[in-house]
Structures are given as structure tokens and as C-alpha cells.
Amino acid sequence: MPKTAPYSPSPPEAEPSTTPPPLPGHPPAMTRMDTVGTVPKLNGKPDFDIVSTYQSLLASDPDLTMPVAAIEALVLLLSQLPPTLSTISETLDLLATSTAQLKRSIPNPISLSAGTDLFQRYLVTTLRGTSLNHGPGGGGDFKAIRQHLLSNGRLFIKRAKEARRTIASYGSRFIRDGSVVLTNGGSRVVGAVLQAAAEAHGGGSPRFKVIYVQSASTSHSESHQIIRSLRQLSVPVATIPESAVAYSMGTVSMVLVGAEGVVENGGIISRMGTYQMGILAKAAAKPMYVVAESHKFVRMFPLGQYDLPIEQKVLDFRTDVDEAMDDRGEAVKPDLDTARSRVPSIVESGRWVEQTPAVMERGEYFDKLDSPRGGSKNSSTSSKGPDLARSSEPSATPQKASADAAASAQDSAVDYTPPDLITALITESGVHTPSAVSEELIKIWY
């Protein structure tokens, strides 16, 4: 009987593709989809780095705010659009993707989000009603549309930069002769208002004083520059710590602060300590004014201090074990059994306790001690000789790094000041009560 070949099922035939063929003069569908949601290559060059562009713009101009720098970076991206992008939808998607990348690159993107979201909304609004997207057959010349977006983007940046000067003109009228102004942070708008009030005297000596609240851990140079410029204009400036705000409130005529974001209910998100200044000002019946550009109006409605869309390490509860971990440069907290067996320290009753060497002979005679601590160079109990300095150097570096990180977190921390503590908001469009912010947002967005 002849042998038959073993049965092997044939693979099923592939189903025919349902994707229609590309239209003449247009790239295939997958090629177009690959460009959506990613930053494409520009004429064969490396990808446009929106984060590096944003950071270089901030470094090149000290007076540039975060939202304006982000908008300028987006305008530069628009000016270098690759030829593969040929629709408004793809362009707006690219802007949204780049904006999301910027937001992820910084720990507190509130003010940046307000500016970039408003900028994208502004571009969409300018496209409505224009004849550029109504060409023959329902399509328009995308090159003309791109130039339209660029020109309106540059116009938006110009208006945003001019806003500070307009606010300074409005806000300086609130500072009268004999006033004592309490402020904090490094807001450039606050500095512009105070300088405009000082220059309004036409070369004479300004007749108001400034109390500047400075944090002990702050590393920002903006506040030092504002204080220096005010003193050069003969404005008396007193610097106080945060703990002296209540003590100084009796001499204050008004509180003037900036904001990183103005939320929908008229409250503000600003530098940590602004909230307590508002509480003390209201208790002392002193007005509190906020100066902020309209591109810092953000569509956000926080319900309290802990409802902000950012992660802050303000309350950092710690134990002795956590402190010892920082000294040793460890990132993961060990369990109790592991900590007990670890040298050169053990845990007793939840605390790290240094072991005492069993033998205290001098290190120059013995290469190693009988204690499990090891060689004499690692001994930290000896009070003499250079071995102590050598053993303390490695543990000092992680501790200093931890302290620097904690100080940086405190410097960038913000709090929420509710609208009932704010007397008025001064913007480039005029002076508004907190209840009018929602109406302004409707005008801006719709």
C-alpha cells in the first residue's frame, strides 16, 4: 500500500483589505496616521525638541514667563511644519501632543497649561469664519492657512507681552501716598506694578513702602532682583520671614500678589504662603489685590488645598528610619528584619542605633576590628584621627542631596487662595471682582 504524505492543513487565505486605495496626490492612510500624535521629522532633520526649545527661550529672556515661553515654542513648531502635515486637524493634533509633552516636563504646569490651552483655543477661533478653508471643492490652500496660524500666533505673543505693561498702568493707581504694600514671591507683574508706581512720581522720592515676604529656603532670584530695583528707585523695602506676616499686618495698607493661575471661581493658585496672607489680611480688614494676565485664566475649579492637579511634597511625615535612610543614600525603606541584620546599623524599637565596636584599639595597629563594623577606616565612633572625616564624607552627600530636594520642593510649592479672600483682580482688560472671572473665561473661550 503506497505511503501518503501526512496531512497538513493549508493556511487560510488572507481576507481582502477593506482599506480604500489612496487618492491621487495624497499619501497613504497609514502614512498620514503615523504623523498624528507624534512630533515628525522636519525635512529629514532630527525631531523638533519642544522641551529644549522652551527651556532655551526661558534662559535667553529672564523677563519671559512660562506660558509665553511655551507659546513661543509652539509658534516655532508651527513655523517648521513638515510637508507631510497637510490638514488643519493634523496641525492642531501636533500642537496638542507637543503641549502635553511640555506639561509632563515640569512639576507644576498650571500656568503653562493656562497659556497653551488658551493659545490653541485662540487659533481655532481665528480659523472660524475665515475664507481660507473654503477653497474650490471645499478645500483651501494649506500654506495660506499655515501663514494665518503663524501670524495670529505671533499676534497672541505680542499681546501677552504687552499685558504686563497695561496691568502696571492700572495697578499703580491703587498705590497711594503713604501706603505700605505687602507682597511675596517673585511675580514679574507685581514688580512691574511697584516700579510703575515708583516712576509715577517723576523723579521725586516715592511716598510708599514695601514689605517683602521671603522664604528662608527660597532659591529664586526674581524676588532679589525686584527688591534691588525698587531700592534703586528710592523705594524703602523691608524683608521679613513668613513667620512675621501677622506681626507686620498692622502696618500694612494693602496686599498685592501675583498668581500662577486664576481659576474659574475667581480664586488663585500662587506661591506657597499666599493663602495665609489672605487669611490674615481679611482678619485685619486689609484689601488683597491680585495682578495677573488673562492668559493665566485656567479652566479649573479646585474645591480646596488638596484638590490641585499636581503632586506636592509639602507634608512629609518622617521617622528616624527615614532620616537614617537619607544619610545612607537609600531609596527603598527596608523591613524591620532586614534593617536589624544590616551593618553598620541596627533597628531597635523602630529607631536606628549605631553599634559600638567590641574592640577600641587604635586603627593604625590593626587593619580590622573584631566588631562586624569592619576596618578602622569605616569606624565612625572614633573621635580622633582622619578616619572619621573619611567615613563621614560618603554619608554627607546623600543627606545634602535630600535637603536640597526638600528645599526645591518647598520653593516650587503653591497653595490655593479662595475668592472670598480676594478684593479684586487686576488684568490687562481692567479690574474685576472674583465673581466676574467666570464671565471673562466665557468671553475668552466662547
Side-chain angles (χ1 to χ4, degrees), residues 288-319:
M288 181 177 186
Y289 298 104
V290 178
V291 290
E293 304 93 329
S294 60
H295 62 255
K296 291 184 178 179
F297 283 28
V298 58
R299 298 178 66 185
M300 187 185 302
F301 203 113
L303 301 177
Q305 300 296 329
Y306 315 114
D307 195 32
L308 301 180
I310 56 175
E311 182 180 356
Q312 301 192 106
K313 295 183 179 179
V314 179
L315 300 177
D316 187 15
F317 298 99
R318 306 178 67 82
T319 63

Side-chain angles (χ1 to χ4, degrees), residues 66 103-104 106-113 260-261 268-272 298 300 302 304-314 409-416:
M66 291 174 58
K103 293 177 183 180
R104 292 192 299 266
I106 59 177
N108 180 11
I110 292 177
S111 63
L112 186 146
S113 300
E260 294 196 14
I268 63 170
I269 299 173
S270 189
R271 183 72 59 86
M272 179 67 67
V298 58
M300 187 185 302
Q305 300 296 329
Y306 315 114
D307 195 32
L308 301 180
I310 56 175
E311 182 180 356
Q312 301 192 106
K313 295 183 179 179
V314 179
Q410 292 292 334
D411 292 343
S412 60
V414 295
D415 58 22
Y416 164 67

